[in-house]
């Protein structure tokens, strides 16, 4: 199966799947008066607010609302009555490129319901606030060189309960960056003889098990889904809960005052080691893409910038983007470590600000040379569109943006279908390849 490595194969154990969120009985529906939610700087926006239950207006309901540039202090707060369940609210305008949001809350039968809508003002003119350090690229080239000195030493554990008639599935561990550090992932390889393109799946934030992208593997693609914390990703869920609220609580701030020891250094380099694993597979045909959302959207851009073996990438609402925005009077990207200083930017630790600039997605995006496909919505309060456009607008390579304006920190199935089809097209895979 493999051409460059020696491996150990061990039997593994089954895991459980996630549940999906459900829609609430009462809906607070808000929409700007432009169908595309787009406005020119200086143009006024009006928001239409509806409160519906079972598809019908909730009459004589009180709505409390705020209007603000996204994630910044409200510039208007009011409570009004919707006699027939609907009302238009004047939102005003912005004097520079950005986003203006209306958030509304109602109480129905003792339960609170919320809604929001966010108008875009010339978003393609948004420019990042973060600056690129003079030694940015040299810093990462040196880190890559040090990481590459470690042997990969992969261990692949066959997971027969995950395998299908078309795909073999393995739990994988490989060495990462520093001696003793590991990257763990779920590898899915088509069984049919031949050579296949590959997709590296990089994860969103959190501490959890992973299950692999078996569906895409069954289309005729090698998939490798990794975790970032250096722990196996097929353990009992309670292990991850203990870590989430214990040793890995707020891991994104660990050693933020030291660019050489910040938590994400081995995370970024671990993505490159994952590519080393993919490249070692005898079944791999040399075509590689990376995809992810949120933290994974960030890692997708970063990996594509750092590793020339990546030929395409998909990034949903990338986190870790223009994190310094709060220090310049506007929203910054997740994990919002500088949000506490938006009123007094000078109180931010300059060492942390400096470190963040070496890890900000914007500075990697400036070096992107391969085609990318982005997707997000305007209502995202985790990875606000001001921060994600800061990334998109500096990419000087072929790029596409699929907007789903009303989405927050989630995506529609149609978005996933379109981006996956784009990936398959780039990788020259027919969707019915193994069906």
């Amino acid at each position: 199966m493999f051409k460059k490595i020696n491996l150990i194969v061990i039997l593994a154990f089954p895991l459980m799947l996630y549940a999906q969120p459900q829609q609430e009985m009462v809906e607070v529906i808000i929409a700007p008066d432009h169908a595309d939610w787009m406005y020119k700087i200086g143009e006024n926006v009006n928001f239409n607010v509806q409160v519906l239950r079972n598809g019908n207006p909730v009459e004589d309901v009180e709505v409390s609302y705020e209007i603000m540039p996204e994630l910044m202090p409200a510039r208007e707060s009011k409570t009004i009555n919707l006699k027939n369940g609907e009302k238009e609210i004047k939102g005003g305008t912005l004097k520079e490129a950005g986003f203006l949001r209306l958030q509304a809350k109602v109480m129905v039968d003792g339960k609170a319901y919320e809604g929001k809508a966010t108008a875009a003002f010339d978003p393609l003119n948004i420019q990042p606030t973060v600056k690129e350090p003079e030694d940015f690229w040299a810093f990462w080239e040196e880190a890559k060189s040090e990481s590459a000195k470690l042997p990969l030493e992969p261990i692949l554990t066959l997971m027969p309960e995950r395998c299908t008639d078309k795909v073999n599935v393995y739990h994988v561990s490989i060495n990462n960056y520093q001696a003793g550090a590991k990257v763990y992932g779920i590898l899915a390889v088509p069984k049919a003889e031949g050579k296949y393109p590959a997709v590296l799946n990089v994860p969103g934030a959190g501490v959890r098990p992973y299950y692999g992208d078996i569906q895409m593997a069954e289309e005729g693609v090698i998939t490798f889904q990794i975790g970032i914390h250096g722990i196996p990703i097929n353990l009992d869920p309670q292990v991850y809960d203990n870590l989430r609220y214990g040793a890995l609580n707020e891991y994104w701030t660990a050693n933020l005052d030291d660019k050489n020891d910040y938590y994400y250094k081995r995370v970024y380099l671990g993505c490159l080691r994952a590519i080393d694993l993919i490249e070692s597979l005898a079944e791999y045909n040399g075509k590689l893409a990376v995809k992810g959302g949120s933290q994974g959207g960030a890692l997708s851009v970063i990996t594509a910038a750092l590793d020339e073996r990546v030929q395409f990438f998909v990034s949903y609402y990338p986190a870790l983007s223009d994190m310094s925005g709060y220090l310049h009077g506007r929203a910054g990207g997740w994990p919002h470590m500088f949000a506490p200083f938006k009123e007094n930017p000078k109180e931010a630790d300059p060492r942390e600000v400096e470190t963040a600039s070496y890890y900000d997605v914007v500075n990697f995006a400036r070096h992107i040379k391969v085609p990318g496909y982005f997707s997000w919505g305007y209502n995202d309060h985790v990875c606000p569109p001001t921060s994600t456009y800061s990334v998109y607008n500096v990419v000087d390579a072929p790029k596409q943006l699929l907007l789903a304006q009303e989405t927050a920190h989630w995506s529609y199935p149609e978005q996933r279908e379109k981006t996956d089809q784009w990936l398959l097209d780039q990788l020259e895979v027919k969707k019915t390849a193994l069906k």
Side-chain angles (χ1 to χ4, degrees):
M1 173 181 173
F2 297 79
K3 59 188 177 187
K4 300 179 183 176
I5 57 177
N6 297 316
L7 54 123
I8 303 171
V9 179
I10 311 169
L11 291 181
F13 297 95
L15 291 168
M16 299 178 68
L17 299 179
Y18 298 125
Q20 295 296 318
Q22 296 180 346
Q23 187 172 346
E24 295 183 303
M25 292 178 63
V26 174
E27 298 177 274
V28 181
I29 300 175
I30 308 172
D33 56 354
H34 286 188
D36 62 0
W37 296 31
M38 291 276 198
Y39 296 80
K40 296 179 180 179
I41 295 172
E43 184 177 8
N44 288 310
V45 54
N46 295 316
F47 294 96
N48 184 66
V49 180
Q50 292 180 289
V51 180
L52 304 178
R53 178 165 49 190
N54 300 324
N56 295 306
V58 178
E59 297 184 354
D60 199 30
V61 64
E62 285 196 341
V63 174
S64 300
Y65 73 85
E66 294 182 327
I67 300 173
M68 75 288 284
E70 56 171 352
L71 300 184
M72 299 304 287
R75 67 187 196 186
E76 179 180 323
S77 300
K78 287 185 178 180
T79 298
I80 60 174
N81 186 275
L82 273 60
K83 294 187 180 298
N84 60 358
E86 183 175 2
K87 189 175 181 64
E88 185 175 83
I89 298 174
K90 293 182 179 180
T93 189
L94 291 181
K95 296 181 180 180
E96 57 186 24
F99 291 85
L100 187 64
R101 178 170 293 166
L102 186 147
Q103 297 181 172
K105 179 186 294 185
V106 301
M107 293 290 294
V108 178
D109 297 334
K111 178 175 173 56
Y113 299 90
E114 298 182 354
K116 66 172 74 75
T118 311
F121 290 81
D122 290 344
L124 292 176
N125 286 323
I126 291 173
Q127 294 300 311
T129 61
V130 66
K131 305 300 181 184
E132 181 175 330
E134 290 185 4
D135 65 338
F136 174 81
W137 201 246
F139 173 82
W140 284 108
E141 285 296 315
E142 181 180 356
K144 287 166 57 180
S145 177
E146 287 299 311
S147 179
K149 293 177 182 178
L150 284 175
L152 201 60
E153 295 182 344
I155 298 176
L156 280 78
T157 303
L158 184 66
M159 307 177 80
E161 75 287 349
R162 303 273 191 89
C163 297
T164 71
D165 59 340
K166 300 184 178 77
V167 175
N168 281 324
V169 182
Y170 305 86
H171 184 266
V172 177
S173 77
I174 54 178
N175 288 335
N176 180 30
Y177 182 42
Q178 296 172 324
K182 299 288 185 181
V183 174
Y184 292 88
I186 303 295
L187 175 69
V189 182
K191 289 182 176 180
E193 185 176 351
K195 290 187 176 292
Y196 302 94
V199 173
L200 173 63
N201 298 84
V202 282
V207 188
R208 65 178 73 86
Y210 294 95
Y211 305 94
D213 190 349
I214 312 304
Q215 182 176 354
M216 181 164 281
E218 290 198 335
E219 299 291 348
V221 178
I222 297 166
T223 64
F224 189 29
Q225 182 180 44
I226 62 170
I228 66 165
H229 299 299
I231 54 176
I233 57 177
N234 62 342
L235 304 176
D236 186 286
Q238 186 61 48
V239 173
Y240 305 103
D241 288 342
N242 293 341
L243 289 169
R244 182 183 305 115
Y245 299 110
L248 292 177
N249 185 39
E250 296 190 357
Y251 62 84
W252 46 84
T253 63
N255 301 321
L256 182 57
D257 60 352
D258 184 351
K259 67 181 180 182
N260 291 303
D261 201 29
Y262 182 39
Y263 191 89
Y264 274 107
K265 186 172 186 179
R266 66 176 177 80
V267 173
Y268 292 6
L269 294 171
C271 295
L272 310 191
R273 300 315 306 266
I275 294 176
D276 293 340
L277 184 281
I278 291 172
E279 193 176 51
S280 73
L281 303 175
E283 295 88 347
Y284 174 52
N285 73 0
K287 288 184 176 293
L288 176 65
V290 58
K291 73 171 182 176
S294 193
Q295 176 186 265
L299 296 177
S300 178
V301 175
I302 290 162
T303 306
L306 283 177
D307 200 317
E308 62 184 11
R309 293 173 294 182
V310 177
Q311 295 154 322
F312 317 99
F313 69 93
V314 168
S315 175
Y316 285 88
Y317 30 80
L320 296 156
S321 298
D322 204 43
M323 294 178 283
S324 58
Y326 290 108
L327 307 180
H328 298 268
R330 72 185 205 195
W334 182 91
H336 310 290
M337 68 272 280
F338 300 123
F341 310 107
K342 58 187 175 185
E343 300 291 343
N344 298 290
K346 293 183 179 180
E347 294 182 0
D349 187 331
R351 296 171 301 174
E352 295 184 348
V353 175
E354 179 193 25
T355 294
S357 69
Y358 284 86
Y359 293 85
D360 199 296
V361 179
V362 167
N363 287 333
F364 293 92
R366 301 180 199 271
H367 297 270
I368 287 286
K369 298 178 181 179
V370 297
Y373 201 135
F374 295 85
S375 188
W376 54 69
Y378 290 166
N379 286 335
D380 198 328
H381 60 285
V382 178
C383 298
T386 296
S387 68
T388 54
Y389 269 102
S390 294
V391 170
Y392 184 81
N393 291 345
V394 302
V395 173
D396 188 21
K399 58 186 177 182
Q400 297 183 52
L401 173 58
L402 174 60
L403 288 174
Q405 282 88 337
E406 70 174 339
T407 59
H409 202 60
W410 49 272
S411 58
Y412 286 117
E414 293 91 335
Q415 288 172 268
R416 300 287 174 177
E417 291 168 5
K418 289 182 179 180
T419 53
D420 281 354
Q421 186 59 60
W422 181 83
L423 269 186
L424 292 174
D425 289 344
Q426 306 312 304
L427 297 172
E428 300 181 331
V429 174
K430 294 183 179 179
K431 194 168 178 57
T432 57
L434 296 182
K435 292 185 178 180

